[in-house]
Structures are given as C-alpha cells and as structure tokens.
Amino acid sequence: TEAGWIGGLPALIHALTAAELGLLPLLYVMLKNASKSFRKSETIASMNHKYSEKKIKELMEKESVKALFNHQNYTTLVNPTWTPFWTKSAMALSSLDVTLTGEKLLVKESEKIEKEISEKLKIENAILLGSDLSQELESAVKTHKMEGYREYLYFILNFIAFYGYMLGVLTYYFDDDKDQHYVLQHLKLGYTNKDAEWGGNFAGDLMWTIEPIVILMSPFVLKRFASIASVKKVKKD
C-alpha cells in the first residue's frame, strides 16, 4: 500500500472501516448466543432438578398432562429424536403420502404423539426422567454453560480487535496529535498517534490469531469436558 498499489493507504483504510462496521452486528450476535446458551443451561438444569427420578403419577397430581408433556418436556424427556413432518430433515428421510393434506398430516402426527404419551402413562410406576437421562442432561447443562463462556470469549477477542483496528482508522483521519478532541485522546488511552496505531494493530492481529485457535480447539475441549463430567457423575452414584 505504501507504493500506491490497489488504491494505496486510503483504500486500505476504507476497507478497514467497512470491516469495522461489519463486525458490530457480529459482536451483538456473540452476546446473544452467549445469553441463549446460559438460558438453555438453566432451563435444562431446572428440568433435571424438577423431574429427576419422579414418578409420572405423582407429577400428574400437580400438573395436567398438557403441562407435563409440553413441547420442551416431550422433545427432551420422552422423544429427543422427534422430527415432525414439516421439518426439512423429516421430509428428506421419510416418504410422506403425497395424497395427504397438511391438515391430515398434522392430525396423524398428533395421534402418534398422543399414542406414545398414553403408552407411557399406562406403565405402572413409570419414571419420567430416569438416572441415565438425568446424567445426560447434567452433562448437557455443563456443555451449554461452557458454550456460553466460549461465546463471551469470542466477544472479548473480537471487541479488542475492533477497538485496536478502530484506533488505526481514527489516527488516519485525525493525524495531528496536538489538535485533537479530548474524547479521541481518551480513546487512544493517552498514547501518541504512532503508538496508538501500532498498539491497536498489534492487539487486533493478536486477537485474530488467538480466535482461530479457540475455534479449532473448542469442540475437543467441550467433548473432553462433557466426558469428564459424565465420569464424575458415575463415580458419585
């Protein structure tokens, strides 16, 4: 860029500005994903605590069948592999009767669920959430929590990169150290333009070097963490 190739330094700054603007919504999504993972972890933990080793008949004294077997409980405790006919995966795997209308397919799906729940209710002393499934849910709670922490880590890494590269853009447009607004001086943390630009670029490059390593390693770490949690649960029992 110093030689003026492909637009020179101004083009680089424009590209960097566009990248900064594109990163803003991604930072928001990272926070949303983190919050979603923690909420899911709390929901599963609450469900595990509420239904673990509890008999269905005892639970039905406090809750109606509709409340006990709501969508969340059904897909988590009764039939985790349930794929309704309107999902793409179900359409790809099953051979639906093309002569049936959407309404008839919905009735057929409802009857299938009702039959499955009825059979479960007929079992004497049936337990809604057994020890094996409870163990799996406990592992899922920890996994979702770790995923939430990972999303927060992504946010921190990318926010530092965003801030660092932002200093490069600001020092380009406000290149006079002596004639700068106090807000800009605070954003530069009291450094000169030269030091702020170098430090900002270094911080951005470092964060975006660390992030791919985290992305590549996190599946193995999460899998290892879940297996350790399962072993601890078995030993405890």
Side-chain angles (χ1 to χ4, degrees), residues 175-189:
D175 56 352
D176 188 355
D177 276 318
K178 297 179 180 178
D179 185 23
Q180 287 181 343
H181 196 274
Y182 73 91
V183 173
L184 179 56
Q185 293 175 356
H186 283 302
L187 286 173
K188 294 194 305 176
L189 305 177

Side-chain angles (χ1 to χ4, degrees), residues 82-88 90-91 94 96 101-102 105-107 109:
W82 180 55
T83 51
F85 72 89
W86 56 82
T87 59
K88 290 182 179 180
M91 291 178 181
S94 62
L96 295 176
T101 62
L105 286 171
L106 184 59
V107 171
E109 191 78 32

Side-chain angles (χ1 to χ4, degrees), residues 53-63 68 125-126:
E53 299 297 330
K54 298 288 179 62
K55 295 180 180 178
I56 294 178
K57 287 185 177 180
E58 293 176 359
L59 292 169
M60 287 186 62
E61 292 175 2
K62 301 176 183 178
E63 298 183 61
L68 186 59
N125 297 324

Side-chain angles (χ1 to χ4, degrees), residues 18-201:
E20 290 281 279
L21 293 174
L23 187 55
L24 282 173
L26 293 179
L27 290 171
Y28 172 75
V29 169
M30 290 169 197
L31 288 177
K32 288 278 289 182
N33 287 342
S35 178
K36 183 179 178 181
S37 292
F38 280 112
R39 283 200 307 270
K40 194 166 186 178
S41 175
E42 291 172 1
T43 300
I44 296 174
S46 175
M47 186 187 302
N48 198 13
H49 175 74
K50 185 177 181 181
Y51 298 121
S52 181
E53 299 297 330
K54 298 288 179 62
K55 295 180 180 178
I56 294 178
K57 287 185 177 180
E58 293 176 359
L59 292 169
M60 287 186 62
E61 292 175 2
K62 301 176 183 178
E63 298 183 61
S64 64
V65 175
K66 187 176 181 180
L68 186 59
F69 294 99
N70 57 33
H71 177 267
Q72 181 175 271
N73 290 354
Y74 177 77
T75 55
T76 306
L77 307 177
V78 180
N79 189 359
T81 60
W82 180 55
T83 51
F85 72 89
W86 56 82
T87 59
K88 290 182 179 180
S89 55
M91 291 178 181
L93 294 173
S94 62
S95 54
L96 295 176
D97 187 351
V98 293
T99 61
L100 295 177
T101 62
E103 186 178 349
K104 289 181 178 179
L105 286 171
L106 184 59
V107 171
K108 189 177 180 181
E109 191 78 32
S110 300
E111 289 174 349
K112 180 183 175 183
I113 294 170
E114 287 174 6
K115 182 180 178 182
E116 192 170 9
I117 293 173
S118 297
E119 289 175 355
K120 199 169 185 68
L121 292 173
K122 289 177 184 177
I123 301 173
E124 188 70 23
N125 297 324
I127 294 175
L128 182 61
L129 177 54
S131 58
D132 290 341
L133 183 54
S134 177
Q135 182 181 323
E136 290 179 16
L137 292 182
E138 197 165 301
S139 178
V141 168
K142 292 181 171 64
T143 300
H144 285 300
K145 194 172 288 186
M146 287 294 291
E147 288 175 349
Y149 286 127
R150 181 185 61 183
E151 290 296 329
Y152 278 133
L153 179 58
Y154 288 157
F155 173 81
I156 292 169
L157 293 173
N158 281 279
F159 181 79
I160 294 173
F162 172 84
Y163 193 89
Y165 290 132
M166 180 187 69
L167 293 178
V169 175
L170 293 176
T171 54
Y172 173 79
Y173 288 110
F174 303 94
D175 56 352
D176 188 355
D177 276 318
K178 297 179 180 178
D179 185 23
Q180 287 181 343
H181 196 274
Y182 73 91
V183 173
L184 179 56
Q185 293 175 356
H186 283 302
L187 286 173
K188 294 194 305 176
L189 305 177
Y191 291 107
T192 62
N193 274 9
K194 185 177 180 180
D195 290 340
E197 181 186 5
W198 187 92
N201 287 332

